[in-house]
Amino acid sequence: MEQIETADGSAPGPVDEESGPGHRARVWGGAARKLWNAPMDGTVGARLRGLADWADATGRADLALDMYGDGVVEELERRVAEVLGMPAAAYFPTGTMAQQVALRCWAARTGDPVVALHPLAHPEMHENDAFGTVSGLRTVHPTREPRLPTAEEVREHPERFGTLMLELPLRDAGFVLPSWEELVDVVDAARERDAVVHFDGARLWDCTAHFGRPLPEIAGLADSVYVSFYKSLGGLSGAALAGPEELVEEARIWRHRYGGQVFQQYPAALSALRGLDEELPRLPSYVAHARVVAAALREALAEPGGPGWSRVHPEVPHTHQFQVWLPYAPEALTAAALAQAEETGTTLFRRWFPAPAGGPPGLAVTELTVSGPGLAWTPEDVREAARDFLSRL
């Protein structure tokens, strides 16, 4: 058995060669019907041809190649700042680097290395203690509930902190968001404590439908914002940090120190621009249809002869992604999902995982995304696919 890292950034798990990530990606990604295109779907040739065709169509194919962040990378930075309504933005090869740089810069400015964030936030779950090990930061948790902290919890936290970091949406809790009023109150509470506010907005693009506010108004609540280009926008990789010009200029210096001053990045930058052009305007329709899919899935899982217990979380998705929980071994559920795609050409679910540490035993969870391919699914399509999936358990 080998240890692998999943395409969506989830925790690695043991697999064998017959059901390894390459085979699963080919089966699930190659299915005639699926709800979304995962990062590992497709081939190198198809991905590069699609990007080249888009560059031709938009007049960018004849641009000069970038070097150390100029050219098309600068165009992307200007575009991100404009879309978010922020004074400036800097491109980073990874979101982990972008957030470490942002928060260490804020720590130097506030004189406080303590960051308040949720224990399920990405830096705590998926970055191997990078905050403390690399950046000298320390974290505290205003709440351990599976949601972002309330204004009261921020105000009453007993320990001082210099920065409040809010992950929007909170992915490991089920892609959950507060209400707009709750978010405004939390930000106000942090400011009452003289703390700065940073948004981990890897999926901030998805939040406009839930909040009923445009991106500049959402981003404008924070002092700085990080956004990802491969999550939701379908880019190859990369991220951006947006905020005040002075902070972004300092961040560029730290980007170089961290090894992020990459010689050429035009494929990733072009794919990010393509995502802003093509995927960003579609995201509200994906969120709306995710709610249709979630409702149909709940109905199918509750039918007689079903699993007896199931959970779609949130019941009404806040974004175009949500969780599904079932009382089976994750290996059995993953095998059923793979068999369904191989035999019927339909990918409903993909990989399943055990309940997180401290969670109920005997349960498995998966993340379900609805994007372009899923818009063609009717509620009955979802129910039929769910019934077929359950029949394989």
Side-chain angles (χ1 to χ4, degrees):
M1 306 285 276
E2 61 169 334
Q3 292 289 322
I4 62 96
E5 182 176 347
T6 63
D8 63 2
S10 305
V15 298
D16 56 43
E17 292 182 358
E18 292 183 357
S19 60
H23 174 68
R24 291 197 301 265
R26 286 190 295 273
V27 172
W28 288 329
R33 288 202 315 159
K34 52 188 174 179
L35 287 171
W36 79 100
N37 289 315
M40 292 297 291
D41 290 354
T43 64
V44 169
R47 196 76 185 270
L48 292 178
R49 280 190 294 272
L51 187 57
D53 290 344
W54 178 82
D56 282 330
T58 59
R60 292 184 174 90
D62 294 326
L63 292 177
L65 296 176
D66 62 291
M67 182 182 297
Y68 292 122
D70 65 4
V72 68
V73 177
E74 289 180 324
E75 178 187 349
L76 175 60
E77 291 173 338
R78 289 191 296 269
R79 180 75 181 281
V80 169
E82 177 185 355
V83 169
L84 295 179
M86 303 294 271
Y91 181 85
F92 280 79
T94 72
T96 298
M97 184 186 297
Q99 297 211 109
Q100 280 195 57
V101 166
L103 294 173
R104 78 175 300 150
C105 288
W106 284 126
R109 288 164 182 259
T110 62
D112 192 333
V114 180
V115 180
L117 77 175
H118 199 283
L120 292 177
H122 196 277
E124 301 285 66
M125 298 291 291
H126 303 292
E127 296 181 16
N128 202 21
D129 299 320
F131 268 18
T133 304
V134 179
S135 300
L137 304 174
R138 186 166 63 86
T139 60
V140 295
H141 305 138
T143 185
R144 291 187 174 274
E145 295 297 316
R147 52 157 175 78
L148 288 173
T150 65
E152 182 179 7
E153 288 165 339
V154 169
R155 288 191 184 96
E156 296 183 355
H157 188 72
E159 187 169 356
R160 178 175 172 80
F161 53 85
T163 304
L164 173 66
M165 174 180 154
L166 300 173
E167 183 178 324
L168 301 174
L170 186 57
R171 179 254 182 111
D172 280 280
F175 305 96
V176 295
L177 289 163
S179 70
W180 176 252
E181 293 73 20
E182 289 168 337
L183 180 61
V184 171
D185 288 346
V186 169
V187 170
D188 288 344
R191 298 257 162 74
E192 290 171 15
R193 300 187 55 145
D194 294 324
V196 298
V197 177
H198 171 78
F199 285 170
D200 175 340
R203 299 172 174 85
L204 192 74
W205 317 113
D206 308 353
C207 297
T208 57
H210 176 81
F211 288 137
R213 299 292 194 284
L215 281 169
E217 189 173 353
I218 299 170
L221 289 178
D223 296 285
S224 60
V225 177
Y226 139 69
V227 289
S228 173
F229 297 125
Y230 76 87
K231 296 168 183 172
S232 302
L233 296 186
L236 296 176
S237 62
L241 172 65
E245 291 183 4
E246 297 84 358
L247 177 80
V248 171
E249 283 305 309
E250 184 180 359
R252 294 179 193 276
I253 297 171
W254 280 104
R255 179 181 64 189
H256 197 175
R257 290 170 175 163
Y258 271 67
Q261 191 75 353
V262 179
F263 178 54
Q264 288 187 324
Q265 300 174 100
Y266 61 90
L270 281 172
S271 70
L273 286 167
R274 181 186 183 184
L276 290 170
D277 279 357
E278 297 185 348
E279 286 298 296
L280 183 58
R282 299 171 182 164
L283 284 172
S285 68
Y286 299 167
V287 177
H289 203 63
R291 295 167 181 171
V292 173
V293 170
L297 195 54
R298 286 199 313 273
E299 294 170 5
L301 295 175
E303 290 177 352
W309 182 93
S310 64
R311 186 181 185 190
V312 174
H313 176 68
E315 286 193 2
V316 178
H318 297 173
T319 73
H320 70 130
Q321 297 179 284
F322 56 93
Q323 293 177 337
V324 180
W325 293 72
L326 287 175
Y328 298 92
E331 297 82 4
L333 293 165
T334 299
L338 191 63
Q340 181 178 34
E342 287 178 314
E343 295 171 18
T344 70
T346 294
T347 294
L348 175 61
F349 301 117
R350 300 199 184 200
R351 196 169 176 204
W352 292 74
F353 298 90
L363 298 180
V365 61
T366 192
E367 295 176 346
L368 201 152
T369 300
V370 177
S371 62
L375 296 181
W377 288 51
T378 67
E380 185 55 30
D381 290 334
V382 176
R383 289 189 287 267
E384 288 181 0
R387 294 173 191 131
D388 178 78
F389 172 78
L390 293 172
S391 72
R392 299 171 184 277
L393 297 172

